[in-house]
Amino acid sequence: MKPLFATAIVLFGALSAGAQEAPAPAVPSLTLARPEAPTGAPLVITLADALQRAKQNEPTFLAAAADAAIARDDSVQAKAGMLPAFSATTQYIGNQASTPDGLKTGRFVSMDGVNMYRAWLVARQDLSASTFMGTPLRKARASEAAALAKLEVAQRGLVVTVTRSYYAFISAQRKYATAQQAAQQAQRFFDIAQQQERLGQVARSDAVKAEISARQQRQAFDESALTMDNARLTLAVLLFPAFNENFSVVDDMQIAPALPPFADVRSMAERENPELRAAGELLRAAAEDVRLARSALLPSLSIEANYGIEANEFALHSAVSADPGLGVLPNLGYAVTVNLSVPLWDWGGLRSKVRQSRTRQRQASATLSQTQRQLVSNLYSTYNETLTARAAVDSLRSVAGLAGESLRLTTLRYQAGESTAFEMADAQNTLVQARNAADDAEARYRVAIAELQTLTGSF
């Protein structure tokens, strides 16, 4: 914060030219309650650092990142569901197909002995119209693309949030320095007015007006301290997982990116807008959902191939219990099951799902259309806001410079007895208001740039 104070002192140094009195005492201020800060040097944070830290802590962004990760795994699962599944199974089956002495009982006639062992390698593949067309995978990939676009939307929104809090804190620091110097200058003016009143050079009204101005500036200084402290707390919540006030920020508010021509901005918005991309991908996913629902009305095929043993002994070769006269035979073999399912009647459930999916598709189409119109509106509105903010920066910087020169000249005229206390107070207030307005304009321009970049991407 010392560089800010030093800058403000240099800016106000010219205001005290010609004054012969000793420097005024430090302005008294309120003692605000705040958490105990950890010891050690404060952490210096740039805007890029703030954005990186906020990504690790902000719940909305983390939720969007989690949704994108879940959608990515949905794509993996959809792809795996289209491929054959392999498994291994081992079973022992004990039954009463026969008595220990070989007498047939008629029970469990599918078994040919008291003991049966199975050890299979199983391959299974389900085939349907949606499998051949790859509909589940295309739907999952469209949903994944939509989730990634929403993640980018959340990231750009986070940039706006952090930028607003970051530059609000810088603006509050500047206003704090301005208010401190204004309070010191008002106190100095009050001291001069009192001295001139004692010498009979000015009326009592000048001293009264100077005292009013000094009290008002001290109150404004206290308010600026409160505003700065609140801005620091707001930024700290965004940046740190554990609350920490022991940090400072880099004041780069005057180093703002240039505003491109509107034609370039519109071209970037058409290519890079994530909300438009998310709406398009959701419409694509809805169309795949319609195909998936319709494919359930068509026949489906499942194939299961087994290779291994199903025998009375857990071995590669054994005698058949039902016919031991055949001798020892190999147990390894295979079995293939092909199952064709044809939907006949389901009381309208499948067709209801088709209607549902088509309704969702129409809704997704309407959302895309609305997003396109809203993008055009937001693009014009945000660009015009940014243009106005940039013009305000240039204008209000010039006004602040003129207000500083006006106060310097008014101070000299007052000391020479050529101006009134009311003119001095007015010049002081004008300078404070002009500098605060210039700081607000610079912060407004940085936030407007961030909001425009939510539509266009970085430039």
Side-chain angles (χ1 to χ4, degrees), residues 98-440:
S98 61
T99 62
D101 58 2
L103 179 64
K104 300 293 184 180
T105 65
R107 289 178 288 190
F108 297 100
V109 294
S110 62
M111 309 302 178
D112 60 356
V114 177
N115 301 315
M116 181 176 288
Y117 299 89
R118 287 175 179 168
W120 288 347
L121 292 176
V122 181
R124 181 179 180 83
Q125 174 69 63
D126 293 323
L127 300 173
S128 65
S130 62
T131 305
F132 288 111
M133 293 187 296
T135 305
L137 180 58
R138 289 206 300 267
K139 176 185 175 183
R141 286 177 174 172
S143 299
E144 179 185 0
L148 291 173
K150 290 181 179 180
L151 175 60
E152 188 173 351
V153 171
Q155 178 176 340
R156 294 184 183 186
L158 181 61
V159 170
V160 174
T161 301
V162 173
T163 300
R164 181 178 286 110
S165 296
Y166 186 89
Y167 289 111
F169 181 40
I170 291 177
S171 178
Q173 285 183 317
R174 289 186 177 188
K175 290 179 180 179
Y176 176 83
T178 297
Q180 184 187 50
Q181 296 303 315
Q184 291 175 349
Q185 182 64 19
Q187 182 64 39
R188 189 176 300 117
F189 169 49
F190 178 45
D191 294 340
I192 293 173
Q194 281 186 317
Q195 182 182 10
Q196 290 182 337
E197 181 191 11
R198 287 193 297 268
L199 296 175
Q201 296 177 354
V202 297
R204 171 62 180 165
S205 60
D206 278 22
V208 171
K209 180 59 179 177
E211 183 176 1
I212 292 173
S213 178
R215 291 180 179 275
Q216 288 176 335
Q217 295 296 347
R218 283 198 295 270
Q219 179 60 36
F221 174 71
D222 291 337
E223 295 292 342
S224 67
L226 175 62
T227 301
M228 182 180 67
D229 205 56
N230 288 340
R232 176 186 290 275
L233 295 172
T234 300
L235 187 58
V237 170
L238 280 174
L239 301 187
F240 300 102
F243 191 81
N244 178 21
E245 274 198 308
N246 191 28
F247 69 93
S248 62
V249 297
V250 177
D251 185 350
D252 62 347
M253 198 152 62
Q254 291 182 336
I255 311 174
L259 182 63
F262 182 74
D264 295 343
V265 168
R266 180 174 56 192
S267 177
M268 285 186 287
E270 291 171 352
R271 296 192 314 268
E272 303 294 338
N273 185 260
E275 292 185 355
L276 190 61
R277 187 163 63 251
E281 294 296 342
L282 288 175
L283 177 59
R284 187 161 70 94
E288 297 298 336
D289 195 42
V290 172
R291 295 188 184 94
L292 194 61
R294 293 177 62 184
S295 68
L297 298 171
L298 302 176
S300 63
L301 189 70
S302 64
I303 302 173
E304 182 174 294
N306 304 321
Y307 181 80
I309 67 171
E310 181 173 318
N312 301 123
E313 295 183 17
F314 193 75
L316 296 178
H317 298 80
S318 66
V320 180
S321 297
D323 195 355
L326 296 176
V328 177
L329 299 175
N331 290 334
L332 281 174
Y334 69 89
V336 177
T337 302
V338 180
N339 184 36
L340 176 65
S341 298
V342 179
L344 296 178
W345 184 256
D346 66 346
W347 305 99
L350 293 178
R351 295 188 182 278
S352 175
K353 291 181 179 179
V354 173
R355 289 195 299 271
Q356 279 184 331
S357 59
R358 285 175 175 168
T359 300
R360 296 190 189 99
Q361 185 183 25
R362 288 193 295 270
Q363 180 61 36
S365 178
T367 300
L368 176 59
S369 177
Q370 169 67 17
T371 302
Q372 291 171 333
R373 298 194 303 273
Q374 192 64 53
L375 172 61
V376 174
S377 173
N378 291 344
L379 186 62
Y380 280 99
S381 174
T382 308
Y383 187 84
N384 290 336
E385 162 69 16
T386 309
L387 245 142
T388 303
R390 185 182 65 178
V393 169
D394 298 335
S395 175
L396 291 173
R397 281 177 183 168
S398 177
V399 169
L402 293 174
E405 178 65 10
S406 173
L407 178 58
R408 186 183 71 83
L409 296 175
T410 303
T411 301
L412 294 176
R413 290 177 62 241
Y414 182 79
Q415 291 175 338
E418 297 177 358
S419 66
T420 66
F422 289 91
E423 290 176 325
M424 275 292 298
D426 181 66
Q428 289 174 342
N429 292 331
T430 300
L431 177 59
V432 171
Q433 292 170 2
R435 286 183 173 166
N436 289 345
D439 292 337
D440 287 338

Side-chain angles (χ1 to χ4, degrees), residues 46-128:
T46 64
L47 179 59
D49 296 334
L51 293 172
Q52 190 61 37
R53 287 178 172 274
K55 287 180 182 179
Q56 301 171 8
N57 300 303
E58 208 279 324
T60 302
F61 175 78
L62 293 177
D67 289 341
I70 292 171
R72 188 178 303 111
D73 283 328
D74 285 341
S75 295
V76 173
Q77 295 168 23
K79 183 177 181 180
M82 296 173 60
L83 301 174
F86 298 90
S87 62
T89 179
T90 301
Q91 294 179 344
Y92 164 74
I93 304 175
N95 60 85
Q96 289 182 312
S98 61
T99 62
D101 58 2
L103 179 64
K104 300 293 184 180
T105 65
R107 289 178 288 190
F108 297 100
V109 294
S110 62
M111 309 302 178
D112 60 356
V114 177
N115 301 315
M116 181 176 288
Y117 299 89
R118 287 175 179 168
W120 288 347
L121 292 176
V122 181
R124 181 179 180 83
Q125 174 69 63
D126 293 323
L127 300 173
S128 65

